[in-house]
Amino acid sequence: MNKLLNVSSSPHARSNVLTQNLMFDVAIAMIPASVYGVYQFGLKALCILLVTIAGSVLSEYVYESLMGRPVTVMDGSALVTGMILGLNMPPEIPLWIPFLGSIFAIIVVKQLYGGLGQNFMNPALAARCFLLISFANQMSGSAFKLDGVSTATPLSVMKNGGTVDVAAMFVGKIPGTIGEVSVVALLIGAAYLLYKKVISIRIPAAYLISFAVFVFIFGQHTPAFVLAHLCGGGLIFGAFFMATDYVTSPITPKGQIVFGILLGVLTGLFRLFGGAPEGVSYAIIISNLMVPLIEKATLPVAFGKEGKKA
Amino acid sequence: MGLATFKGGVHPYEGKELSENQPIEVLMPKGELVYPVSQHIGAPAKPLVKKGDQVLVGQKIAEAGGFVSAHVICSVSGTVKAVEPRRMANGAMVNSIVVENDGEYKTVEGMGADRDPSSLSKEEILAIVKEAGIVGLGGAGFPTQVKLAPKDPSKIDYVIVNGAECEPYLTSDYRLMLEEPEKIIGGLKVMLQLFDNAKGVIGIENNKPEAINKLTELVKDEPKIEVCPLKTKYPQGGERTLIYAVTGRKVNSSMLPADAGCIVDNVDTVVSIYMAVCKSTPLLRKIITVTGDAIANPKNFNVRLGTCYQELIDAAGGFKTEPEKVISGGPMMGQALFDVTIPVSKTSSALTCLSKDQVAEMEPTACIRCGRCVEACPENLVPQKMMKAAKSHDIELFQKLNGMECVECGSCAWGCPARLQLTQAFREMRVAVRASAKKA
């Protein structure tokens, strides 16, 4: 043989799962919710989604180019951030606000901390919270419209003691952000992610169960109340698409359960006892900050090392 | 009831269909034979012959160099051409005895004679195994006579025969189980003679139903032997994962299987014990699977130790496409070769020739903390954190994360979507940890 063969350390085989595939799977899973959002809120919603996606991808491209770093826009992570941010926008928002949000998400929250894998908060959610604080009028309250009329979201109605139509919430015929309204569309996407093994059920299950228990104990003790809370606001969207963000959730299996429970308790706390009707976004980014601690406390015991000090 | 298995693991492409239906072919060596003095774990053997000496089949040509060591036995008759360093599959240059084959296969006296194992004492059996140069043929190469002589033999209650063959592409153990099952049972019975309180269990992955059926049929009248079907999952055939699947006991890096009452040997090792004890034949041959998508006719060969890999490739019809990678062993734990003029040694199991090198195809990207490595690790470690320690060469942190429990099975790196070289980094760290322990 005249040519030397390739040599490397084992293993020499690799699975066909790549970061890119995972990111595109997440994007695909958000399509049902996106389609429903555009169907319900019109072309304006589509424009918002396009603006946040373009804004995120562009920010990543420009920043990495300027910094002389390898450009990683093809890994799909900026696309996912853009989609999540867009789906978290009220449908009537002036386009420059989501654009600003996507720049904040990518540059301040993600790239300044070292890029993909290094950010400690979910970029889209951190950007949403930044916008919520900066542009309260455009981001919440009367910003939510249904069929062109300002309408209170089901959670605000419940906060003020009113009753809501759970069936409408399940389908999505309610005011809210573009992507959070239709529970059924979100669950289709979630099923896809679970089926493709992109996410595990641990975080969403722990989140939803602990939240349900919390509102049952501390809110009204009726199944209708708990169900309305489960379907309301960004809970389903948050539980399956945002809390499961790999980078900002614990890597240890036990830690994921703890993380889910923390999310459930915080969300319940914010919704029932906080000033605002919704609390999913804040619950997630606060829990993001707890991840290093949770991981430290839930490191798995090595095989055969049970009952022994390491 | 679920099948016996373990937590973690992965499902790589198996590739066994290429060669699983090919009966074992005896391949006689054409060129010179090379016998490295270090084909096992432990001290290198000391050569007993010099250039120009005449040697016979079955002759001891190098003698164990310590307690944990093994003899090297000549597999052909002929003349010693040289005693010089030659390259082995792991890349190391090892002092080797090179023999010119005279093609006559003259054997030492008494070789091949039938022997009744029941007439032998335990000490005699161990001595025969030692003289036969037998080591763990599954790949580790631990001297078998040492393994068969634990501190307290009465505490051994399981003798496990490893027929899992979880490594992708490999079918040599499978063919052996189909073609020489009586020898496996015979060898296991000899082993059970050493351990009064033990029962024998043959563990086989359930992707080999024919082997399971055949051996189950053969042991149905053996009160002390049973076949344990295992779930097909890599690395089911790892020593610790196999012990756990069969007995529910856990062995860590600071323990020997014997500490958990277990002796584990690969099917080929067990056949070699049978041949040595019952047929007075030392370890002369290996069953080697020559396979991969670059090989014209994938096959299983029965070859003499010391045969050059090139001869095996030629006998399998050569390459049908230019290989990018040729691996001694399988794709998960095998060693990549830059050249195929390497001798078949006691720990060789296969030659996997791949037209595409999946490792060179992709550059590593950033870790996204997806947790696939954590799910895959059979040792319940957190490879993602170990990788961080490895990157900053933090030996202390690496040990704290139980990095020394890593068995280098490759499951984490196999499934990493960022294509990080996790196993390679851990291998380097483990070497560094051992080196620092020696210094202290």
Side-chain angles (χ1 to χ4, degrees):
Chain A
M1 197 165 302
N2 39 23
K3 180 188 104 179
L4 291 185
L5 297 156
N6 281 1
V7 179
S8 66
S9 186
S10 69
H12 309 292
R14 292 288 190 274
S15 74
N16 50 17
V17 178
L18 286 170
T19 301
Q20 214 176 8
N21 312 141
L22 296 171
M23 293 296 173
F24 285 119
D25 272 340
V26 176
I28 290 169
M30 285 189 283
I31 287 177
S34 308
V35 169
Y36 184 87
V38 173
Y39 158 78
Q40 171 143 314
F41 300 113
L43 278 180
K44 183 76 191 287
L46 183 64
C47 292
I48 293 169
L49 281 174
L50 291 177
V51 161
T52 52
I53 291 169
S56 298
V57 174
L58 216 64
S59 303
E60 181 140 301
Y61 178 82
V62 169
Y63 181 90
E64 288 181 332
S65 301
L66 288 179
M67 291 295 137
R69 303 234 310 252
V71 174
T72 57
V73 293
M74 288 316 291
D75 66 21
S77 62
L79 166 75
V80 167
T81 298
M83 270 181 101
I84 293 180
L85 182 63
L87 294 174
N88 268 309
M89 291 295 122
E92 301 289 330
I93 199 158
L95 289 178
W96 63 272
I97 294 180
F99 186 70
L100 184 68
S102 49
I103 295 174
F104 183 85
I106 293 295
I107 294 186
V108 177
V109 189
K110 183 178 173 189
Q111 291 296 343
L112 287 185
Y113 285 93
L116 181 65
Q118 301 297 321
N119 50 291
F120 55 85
M121 271 188 197
N122 185 321
L125 276 185
R128 184 197 188 187
C129 295
F130 160 72
L131 296 180
L132 270 172
I133 297 166
S134 310
F135 309 101
N137 290 335
Q138 290 92 334
M139 285 291 293
S140 57
S142 59
F144 295 114
K145 293 187 182 176
L146 192 61
D147 301 328
V149 187
S150 277
T151 316
T153 61
L155 287 183
S156 319
V157 173
M158 287 164 73
K159 188 103 191 157
N160 297 320
T163 52
V164 293
D165 177 359
V166 176
M169 293 170 79
F170 192 73
V171 177
K173 200 75 191 131
I174 50 165
T177 71
I178 298 168
E180 74 182 12
V181 286
S182 174
V183 172
V184 63
L186 289 165
L187 288 180
I188 292 170
Y192 176 79
L193 290 182
L194 289 167
Y195 169 74
K196 295 276 275 181
K197 295 197 170 142
V198 174
I199 60 170
S200 96
I201 192 72
R202 285 189 285 264
I203 293 174
Y207 188 175
L208 296 177
I209 292 170
S210 61
F211 173 76
V213 170
F214 187 94
V215 293
F216 184 78
I217 295 173
F218 296 102
Q220 297 171 20
H221 312 305
T222 62
F225 180 81
V226 174
L227 210 57
H229 259 292
L230 283 173
C231 294
L235 184 65
I236 297 295
F237 188 35
F240 287 98
F241 293 88
M242 300 189 276
T244 54
D245 171 34
Y246 291 146
V247 177
T248 55
S249 62
I251 198 167
T252 57
K254 268 188 212 144
Q256 293 171 354
I257 305 277
V258 174
F259 182 71
I261 294 172
L262 180 66
L263 284 168
V265 171
L266 284 179
T267 307
L269 207 60
F270 293 159
R271 278 195 184 176
L272 296 182
F273 303 105
E278 174 58 309
V280 170
S281 295
Y282 290 115
I284 295 177
I285 60 167
I286 289 172
S287 301
N288 285 163
L289 301 179
M290 304 295 288
V291 166
L293 207 62
I294 295 174
E295 284 188 353
K296 210 170 177 177
T298 56
L299 268 187
V301 182
F303 182 87
K305 289 267 190 176
E306 294 84 357
K308 288 169 205 147
K309 276 236 149 150
Chain B
M1 200 190 87
L3 276 167
T5 188
F6 62 98
K7 187 175 151 287
V10 291
H11 294 277
Y13 165 63
E14 289 178 27
K16 295 191 191 270
E17 69 280 0
L18 290 174
S19 57
E20 67 187 351
N21 294 321
Q22 301 294 322
I24 298 171
E25 268 178 43
V26 175
L27 181 68
M28 282 305 184
K30 294 194 185 82
E32 61 178 29
L33 289 107
V34 177
Y35 305 95
V37 296
S38 195
Q39 307 180 30
H40 50 262
I41 289 179
K46 293 193 196 88
L48 297 173
V49 293
K50 56 183 191 304
K51 190 179 168 181
D53 284 358
Q54 295 294 312
V55 289
L56 298 170
V57 178
Q59 183 178 335
K60 192 200 299 178
I61 51 177
E63 147 182 85
F67 176 66
V68 181
S69 184
H71 299 327
V72 178
I73 311 291
C74 195
S75 61
V76 295
S77 60
T79 317
V80 177
K81 224 162 88 174
V83 179
E84 62 185 20
R86 288 292 180 100
R87 196 169 303 282
M88 287 186 67
N90 62 10
M93 295 295 281
V94 175
N95 197 28
S96 303
I97 297 156
V98 185
V99 173
E100 186 69 53
N101 182 6
D102 63 12
E104 292 179 25
Y105 299 99
K106 281 181 289 203
T107 62
V108 294
E109 224 181 280
M111 202 185 102
D114 283 343
R115 189 156 40 192
D116 177 13
S118 59
S119 65
L120 299 168
S121 72
K122 290 174 185 171
E123 290 69 30
E124 283 169 327
I125 291 175
L126 289 175
I128 293 169
V129 168
K130 181 176 181 187
E131 282 310 302
I134 300 173
V135 304
L137 301 178
F142 191 78
T144 301
Q145 83 277 4
V146 182
K147 194 189 259 185
L148 292 182
K151 261 187 229 132
D152 188 353
S154 66
K155 286 218 175 107
I156 301 295
D157 48 6
Y158 281 99
V159 174
I160 303 172
V161 180
N162 188 350
E165 198 163 55
C166 61
E167 179 77 40
Y169 288 94
L170 271 56
T171 56
S172 47
D173 288 349
Y174 173 64
R175 290 311 308 182
L176 198 62
M177 288 188 278
L178 286 190
E179 297 180 34
E180 302 184 356
E182 306 81 13
K183 292 182 184 169
I184 297 170
I185 313 284
L188 179 53
K189 280 187 187 162
V190 171
M191 293 170 78
L192 288 172
Q193 230 176 294
L194 297 172
F195 305 105
D196 301 326
N197 304 323
K199 73 169 180 177
V201 180
I202 306 170
I204 308 172
E205 274 190 351
N206 67 344
N207 61 353
K208 299 178 257 296
E210 284 186 53
I212 294 175
N213 293 342
K214 193 148 212 168
L215 283 160
T216 308
E217 179 63 26
L218 276 172
V219 301
K220 68 172 195 281
D221 297 323
E222 302 285 347
K224 289 180 82 180
I225 300 179
E226 62 184 67
V227 173
C228 177
L230 308 163
K231 189 173 166 187
T232 302
K233 184 165 71 169
Y234 180 86
Q236 182 62 73
E239 195 166 61
R240 296 181 205 169
T241 39
L242 180 65
I243 290 173
Y244 180 70
V246 171
T247 69
R249 297 173 194 171
K250 292 185 173 182
V251 174
N252 64 37
S253 67
S254 55
M255 292 161 74
L256 290 172
D259 297 331
C262 296
I263 298 286
V264 184
D265 266 312
N266 168 271
V267 283
D268 202 10
T269 314
V270 177
V271 168
S272 303
I273 292 171
Y274 170 83
M275 291 302 290
V277 174
C278 305
K279 297 286 169 195
S280 312
T281 305
L283 180 59
L284 304 176
R285 65 104 175 93
K286 271 296 293 194
I287 313 294
I288 306 279
T289 304
V290 181
T291 185
D293 64 343
I295 276 286
N297 309 309
K299 277 183 177 165
N300 300 293
F301 291 114
N302 172 342
V303 300
R304 302 255 160 176
L305 288 173
T307 308
C308 181
Y309 276 157
Q310 181 68 59
E311 291 186 35
L312 274 71
I313 292 169
D314 295 341
F319 298 120
K320 67 177 176 201
T321 50
E322 187 79 6
E324 268 186 2
K325 206 166 211 177
V326 174
I327 304 158
S328 174
M332 292 303 285
M333 285 191 85
Q335 286 155 331
L337 308 173
F338 59 76
D339 173 62
V340 293
T341 47
I342 301 282
V344 171
S345 78
K346 293 177 186 177
T347 52
S348 305
S349 54
L351 211 50
T352 307
C353 310
L354 303 174
S355 63
K356 280 266 168 294
D357 179 5
Q358 292 182 316
V359 179
E361 243 166 36
M362 299 272 316
E363 284 294 311
T365 55
C367 170
I368 54 168
R369 296 169 37 88
C370 70
R372 277 174 177 66
C373 53
V374 181
E375 304 272 356
C377 183
E379 294 294 317
N380 219 13
L381 305 176
V382 185
Q384 182 260 347
K385 292 195 184 299
M386 287 157 61
M387 189 65 179
K388 268 194 164 171
K391 262 191 176 160
S392 51
H393 205 79
D394 189 336
I395 287 182
E396 217 167 283
L397 179 61
F398 185 79
Q399 284 174 279
K400 227 170 128 185
L401 292 165
N402 282 313
M404 295 313 279
E405 294 299 315
C406 170
V407 292
E408 303 177 12
C409 68
S411 298
C412 52
W414 178 84
C416 179
R419 293 292 184 264
L420 296 172
Q421 302 280 18
L422 296 159
T423 312
Q424 175 175 0
F426 303 158
R427 198 168 276 145
E428 286 166 13
M429 282 307 278
R430 287 162 52 79
V431 171
V433 169
R434 283 195 213 102
S436 76
K438 256 179 215 163
K439 255 184 268 163

